[in-house]
Amino acid sequence: MRCFLQCKQSMQIKCYRRAYQLAWSGEGAACLPLGQRGKTLPITMATRPGPLTEWPWQWMGDYKYLVLAPAAMHTAHRLATKGWGDFDPAYTFMLPTLLLRMIHNQIWISLSRYQTARRKHLIVDRSLDFEQVDRERSWDDQIILNGLLFYLGYAIIPNFRLMPVWRTNGALITILLHMGPVEFLYYWFHRALHHHFLYSRYHSHHHASIVTEPITSVIHPFAEHLAYFLLFSISVLPPIFMGCGSVLAGVLYITYIDFMNNMGHCNFELMPKWMFQTFPPLKYLIYTPSFHSLHHTQFRTNYSLFMPFYDYIYNTTDSSSDELYERSLKGTEETPDIVHLTHMTSLKSMYHLRIGIASISSKPCNDSVWYMWMLWPVAWLSMVLAWIYGSSAFVVERLKLKKFNMQIWALPRYNFQYGLSWERKSINNLIEKAILDADERGVKAEQLNGSGELFAKKYPRLRVRLIDGSGLATAVVLNSIPFGTKQVFLCGSNSKVTHATAIALCQRGVQVILNQEKEYGMLKLRVPEGRAIYLKFSNDETPQIWIGDSIDDAQGRAPKGTIFIPTSQFPLKKARKDCTYLSNPAMKIPETMQNVHTCENWLPRRVMSAWRIAGILHALEGWEMHECGDDMMNIEKTWSAAIKHGFKPLTKPCSLNSGTDL
């Protein structure tokens, strides 16, 4: 890839020049050099929005599905009063078709994100961001629109009610109409959309996505979707008016459109070469993801809908189409420098994975949406399937900072399974397998939350460094404590981070108070002898600063105005209005970190837990020691490294009596 970029330097200079010309002329998203890595080009999204740009139900937000309520209520009333016998095939298929389209699209989203995380057969090497995810969260608007128009067509066109389930002659007419007038009209309509007048008002919204995902295919303004609906109706309505239309032909045609749209906007090549070798004319009848990707990066080529023959006829095929296809097919899976090993927490955390539901994973998981309860059956089914068939960790996300690549691997297990004694061996085997796989692939550092010491001892020649992140987590907690603090109350000292925090505070001359005698005795053995005087057992004293991993259980006894600083990875379940709560140990990530478009569990956007950051620092700094078991990185050293590499604390320490809002 580096050789290719060097050889193409002159081409890239021309392409950049063209990019800026297009941006300044109002044509928005411009060409991007092939293989370009992480460059941000100027993008203009609908600089002069035209009429009917916004969707009519945009103001409804997540409640937009209520526009289909009248149709659903009519169906329910008809069923209750007349029974199933009154339903004709067309009416019966309408609602299930809408649901199946949503499932179909979600499958493509998950498949695409899984494949691009592995980077196998990747086409455009550029990162996604939250802006694109937010822009594309409206991908289901076109399904709602189609549903309303289907119901309208059923109401005003009598032949709809007369359609049988299948008619072969009508299906053949639909195919011919698509290959002829639909593909032809789309080609010229698409070229018209790239004229600066229509582009700046409508089509630039779609081209704002240089790196495409399957759902990018349907991200268009409302008016543009109306035009597409009329265009595709050319294939469907004539057979219906001729009396040879059928329900299944219409459903299959819609499925074909969804399939080709999603496939063509994947950012990885999946069309096997043997198909084109077996039947060479196929290259004119079906496009590939790399073929359409060039339309998003080079802008003035590859306009065709699904069948590229009009691009070949009118000489608008990009000259590098075949080269990019071949190069993308040869792409191999990436070997990361850093691996973060994680697992699902609650059942709904499945949706919060990057390969889950995009609009949910781009927000903290405590931001619930109203339709979450409808997805519980899917969550239960996925948990059971993962439990039965999950035999190894799988890639869910990739990030990049400087020259280091990071992948997140998820174990197919949930939080509650870690507490089951009979699952312990199975989970340890999964972790062991992931560690050995990372070691074999040359990974520099692997961050995991526990069990590291077991495998470090079992495999003393491991090249991969095992990191539990406790050193940086402790540093974050210590640097969250307000200046001038003389006393802290330790509520729960079972974790490695809590122990280390208490010991560090004693060494700094801050008094640490506990009210659990057993915990006090255990901790006193670990505090240096000269500093043990700062560790105190008391049931009466309650300082203003509370630290620990059991805050939920103890906070009821805290005085008004207490500042709680958790040391665990999990958020608190309860909160008092008269107290201040700091975040779990976490930091803001550098702006230079690429491909960040999901939230880590309950943390805000572009915030990462200290445990995960520790693995990154280990690789960036080239540290050679394992950090697991009783071993911990130097607290000051890890904190300095984090600041040096651009990680920032969530809150700045303030004076205890300054009145600053934490």
Side-chain angles (χ1 to χ4, degrees), residues 376-388:
W376 276 111
V378 180
W380 278 98
L381 178 62
S382 64
M383 184 270 291
V384 172
L385 292 176
W387 201 341
I388 296 174

Side-chain angles (χ1 to χ4, degrees), residues 604-656:
R605 289 182 170 184
R606 298 196 68 83
V607 171
M608 187 178 288
S609 68
W611 290 271
R612 185 178 292 190
I613 295 172
I616 300 175
L617 296 178
H618 223 82
L620 290 172
E621 292 291 317
W623 294 330
E624 291 297 326
M625 68 171 283
H626 293 294
E627 185 182 38
C628 51
D630 292 331
D631 295 327
M632 180 184 287
M633 289 296 301
N634 180 276
I635 296 171
E636 294 299 331
K637 184 178 180 180
T638 55
W639 178 257
S640 298
I643 300 300
K644 181 179 76 172
H645 290 290
F647 294 93
K648 299 178 181 178
L650 289 181
T651 54
K652 294 181 180 179
C654 63
S655 174
L656 187 59

Side-chain angles (χ1 to χ4, degrees), residues 5-24:
L5 288 173
Q6 290 168 0
C7 294
K8 298 294 183 181
Q9 186 175 7
S10 60
M11 181 195 76
Q12 289 185 9
I13 293 172
K14 293 178 182 178
C15 196
Y16 275 123
R17 218 173 268 149
R18 177 64 178 146
Y20 282 93
Q21 289 171 358
L22 290 171
W24 280 105

Side-chain angles (χ1 to χ4, degrees), residues 184-379:
F184 177 78
L185 291 173
Y186 177 89
Y187 174 84
W188 285 107
F189 176 59
H190 194 180
R191 290 192 66 169
L193 285 173
H194 279 258
H195 184 275
H196 66 85
F197 181 85
L198 290 177
Y199 186 89
S200 61
R201 287 161 175 79
Y202 296 105
H203 202 51
S204 57
H205 186 60
H206 177 69
H207 274 273
S209 300
I210 301 293
V211 181
T212 58
E213 292 200 282
I215 51 176
T216 306
S217 61
V218 292
I219 303 304
H220 302 282
F222 177 62
E224 202 171 325
H225 264 294
L226 288 175
Y228 292 142
F229 185 87
L230 292 174
L231 179 65
F232 292 128
S233 296
I234 294 173
S235 295
V236 178
L237 290 179
I240 294 175
F241 288 127
M242 293 166 61
C244 58
S246 62
V247 175
L248 197 54
V251 171
L252 290 176
Y253 182 60
I254 294 169
T255 304
Y256 164 77
I257 293 172
D258 285 344
F259 180 90
M260 295 299 291
N261 260 333
N262 285 314
M263 184 270 289
H265 285 80
C266 288
N267 190 31
F268 64 95
E269 188 54 74
L270 51 80
M271 296 296 290
K273 192 173 182 179
W274 62 263
M275 291 178 58
F276 300 104
Q277 291 174 335
T278 304
F279 186 62
L282 191 62
K283 71 178 293 185
Y284 305 106
L285 299 177
I286 184 171
Y287 73 168
T288 64
S290 57
F291 183 92
H292 188 70
S293 175
L294 284 167
H295 177 69
H296 279 261
T297 57
Q298 305 303 315
F299 190 76
R300 292 292 187 181
T301 57
N302 298 5
Y303 292 100
S304 292
L305 178 56
F306 306 139
M307 300 178 176
F309 53 76
Y310 285 114
D311 275 311
Y312 286 98
I313 290 173
Y314 295 108
N315 198 31
T316 53
T317 305
D318 195 284
S319 59
S320 60
S321 296
D322 292 337
E323 175 195 353
L324 181 60
Y325 172 75
E326 295 282 352
R327 184 160 52 84
S328 301
L329 273 184
K330 293 177 182 177
T332 57
E333 188 168 348
E334 177 185 76
T335 297
D337 300 292
I338 310 148
V339 167
H340 172 71
L341 196 61
T342 185
H343 62 84
M344 276 79 78
T345 51
S346 62
L347 284 178
K348 69 177 183 179
S349 64
M350 181 203 69
Y351 317 130
H352 204 262
L353 292 175
R354 179 181 175 272
I355 61 174
I357 300 176
S359 60
I360 293 178
S361 64
S362 64
K363 296 180 179 180
C365 66
N366 50 10
D367 288 358
S368 299
V369 290
W370 67 270
Y371 53 83
M372 189 72 77
W373 64 271
M374 299 173 62
L375 302 174
W376 276 111
V378 180

Side-chain angles (χ1 to χ4, degrees), residues 380-454:
W380 278 98
L381 178 62
S382 64
M383 184 270 291
V384 172
L385 292 176
W387 201 341
I388 296 174
Y389 297 107
S391 58
S392 61
F394 55 95
V395 184
V396 294
E397 192 171 352
R398 70 176 178 91
L399 305 171
K400 185 173 183 179
L401 180 61
K402 300 179 181 178
K403 63 179 181 178
F404 289 89
N405 296 309
M406 175 182 177
Q407 288 184 353
I408 289 87
W409 295 1
L411 296 173
R413 293 296 184 270
Y414 290 78
N415 208 44
F416 77 91
Q417 292 171 303
Y418 280 71
L420 303 176
S421 57
W422 63 86
E423 274 291 300
R424 199 166 298 159
K425 182 178 179 181
S426 171
I427 292 173
N428 281 340
N429 288 339
L430 288 171
I431 296 173
E432 182 175 5
K433 185 177 180 181
I435 291 172
L436 295 179
D437 184 23
D439 190 60
E440 184 179 349
R441 293 169 62 178
V443 175
K444 295 180 175 66
E446 182 163 15
Q447 193 280 318
L448 66 168
N449 297 330
S451 305
E453 184 181 26
L454 171 67

